[in-house]
Amino acid sequence: MIRGGRNNITSAPAFSKDAKKLLLCTANTVSVYSVATGLKITSLQDHTAPVTTVFVDPSHDETYSYCWTSSLDGKIRIWEFSEPKLLKTFDTHLPIHSLVMIPSHVSHSVIAYVSVEDYSSVSSDLFGQIRRYDLTEEPLPSGDILKEMEEPKSIVLSPSGEFFGVCHNCNIHIWNVSLGASEHLMPKETTLHHTELITVFAFHPNKRILAAGDVKGRVLIWKDIGNGELTSVKSEDDPESCTAFNWHSAEVTVLNFSSDGALLYSGVKEGVFVVWELDTRKKQLLPKIGSPLLYFISSSDPTLSSVICADNQIHLLKMPSMEILRTISGIKPRRSERHGFICYVKTRDICLTRTVSIDRSSGIAAFCTANHRVQLYNLFSDHEISEVQICERNHHPDGDESRVLVTAVALSRNGSVMTTADARFAASNFSEGLVSLKFWVFVPDSKTFSLSTVINQPHREAAITAIALNPARSMAVSISSAGDFKIWVCNSDKNLTPEDSNWICHGDGSYKRTPITAAVFSGDGSCLAIAAKTVITIWHPLRNELLYVVGKANATIMELSFTGGGFLIAASHGSTPHLSVWDLMTFCLSWSYRLHIEAIATEVGSPYFAVLTWLPESDRLVKSNEQMFCGKDGAILLFDGSGPKPVAIWTVMKARGGTLSFVEDGKKSQPLLAYVNRSHEYVLFDPYGDEKLETSAIDYEVFLAAISKKTKRSRKKALMSEKPWETKFCGSTLNFPPFPDVCAAFFSSRMQKKVCERAERQPERHSS
């Protein structure tokens, strides 16, 4: 089983003492990366809930690499992270949101200060607490409460280990731990007051100075902290107790001193950094990072720092120039859909964005991310390959109304071609927009895609709702909400390079001007299945000819997929969602379930297929189902197309908005199944092996009875088998079949019964 794509930005990372490693909190684990290469070395795995803090112990010499971790599972653990090896575990029995450990040169005991969440007191609205634990005591006591707040806050420790504090609304609460180093003494508290909401603060490395940033963009400097309560309002008695730097126009999100304390770095949401000289108060603008800033940390090496951005990127910086040395890239988050695009499409039952595509032959996934890019990510090695800018546009804050949206992406089976669709809107006008269909070719040398062809308004003013690529030839189909689909082919010449090839329209079609909601090519590329809302049709892609009308579903079909066993899988959305399996040999509905299907994955040349279903909250909250679902909100079901009984069932988290695909693994004879949830976290596992994903081996009858209505139907003769001539006239008038073919089919069906009746009335002839 391979896991990856986890969020690297939930908590601040930490450098090792020698600044050669960087430790990141990634979901329930801590990932250790090499600073020199940016590659993952090892991971610390034992927590059962998200890790909230990683703290490198500075007390030991460089021959040992110790770190402390805390988690929402209530555990504090100490590790030797170079091996890695878990040394000891302490259980507080409360979710821990932040942790600091007091160095041994300050405290003679092993003292931990934690920010926990405690809902045991129902009479109080103060659920966040700062507690002090002496980890030398066994069993671990409940801890001394230093402060109670509405919610847990992050704790900041000074580089000297003498102070720690939290910001709460317009105040900063600071404790002098040197006065509470003994197990019998509590640290002394000091409060700094301000007139605005404080967003971030930092301690000076060797002086009693504290810097804080507020929501208005101001940076405040307090001196002589720890000597009593201080305010940001200057007084006549001590005008130098607090000074302010005012340049930022938005709230300050990151703040840190240089290693020698001479400079102060401040950053805001737009990715802008400013360096301040504390003595002269001069400022200097630094190169823009290009993404909202979350954390800024220093290392023991004065020339090395790290900045953590909201797009799941960790940049290693050369100081003081802030030059990016290398980047540790996770999967970037998707961009939230704007209301304007929903108004533009108008058809609410059509899926607006299909923003993840997986190349099953290589395990490379394409993710539509913020800032109008597509990120190429290797699922096997869990690292970024490259990034493609689909539309040119610089970063803007979230408050700025976006007018560009990448709505669809598709990768070819061998990863050589990528297609994207984007919509660009006029200023303050979402009623009209420019829709572009783009074809890209892969360039092996640069490991990225190069733009080959741009087609503007391919479906007039209608939005593109999906794109599918032919697995056997250079062909693609795009569908729209206007009720038409178009087939595109590559007209590359043998003398042209792939970058110089062009894509042209091979043909277009429609079915009774009904909005087209889904399209897929068969495994060999010889057939094209098109869903016109509830009707399934089969087309010949080269001749652009309607071959068959397979049948009609009860609700709008949003996804189609061929299996290797001669079945067509259809997923219907709406008030009556269904998973339907159609037998292509008889054009009959074989069986169906009433399920909310999010994705379908089929395996080439095999009757097996998997579906991702999400569970309505009303089903999950039923008491009889709580133990079965265990807090999960979705499930993966593996079927053999010939029967309705699932081969296996796995329950998963964050299913709605997820993706499912089979991926070929060169080390194994059978493919793996890749599941990517809506947060772009993923897992690769063997669906036919003994591996279990979260929970498995669920009794399928009990499970399906809890989430669906089984509607297994008898095989009825399809319309196609009774009246084969009717579909001959459903296509374009330019594609009428030859007259003899029509007449032969018509008269054959009309005369069949009479011929049989005459044969029955003829007496048997016996030979003499």
Side-chain angles (χ1 to χ4, degrees), residues 338-348 352 425 430-431:
R338 299 290 184 174
H339 177 68
F341 183 71
I342 299 177
C343 296
Y344 174 63
V345 174
K346 298 180 180 178
T347 308
R348 297 301 183 93
L352 298 181
F425 303 98
F430 290 104
S431 61

Side-chain angles (χ1 to χ4, degrees), residues 290-301:
S291 181
L293 307 175
L294 297 181
Y295 305 103
F296 181 73
I297 61 171
S298 302
S299 70
S300 58
D301 183 354

Side-chain angles (χ1 to χ4, degrees), residues 85 168 350 438 440 462 468 497 553 623 627 658 734 741 754 756:
K85 180 181 179 182
H168 181 216
I350 291 180
K438 297 177 182 178
W440 309 74
T497 62
K623 291 186 178 180
Q627 185 177 1
L734 300 177
D741 292 350
K754 294 182 180 180
C756 293

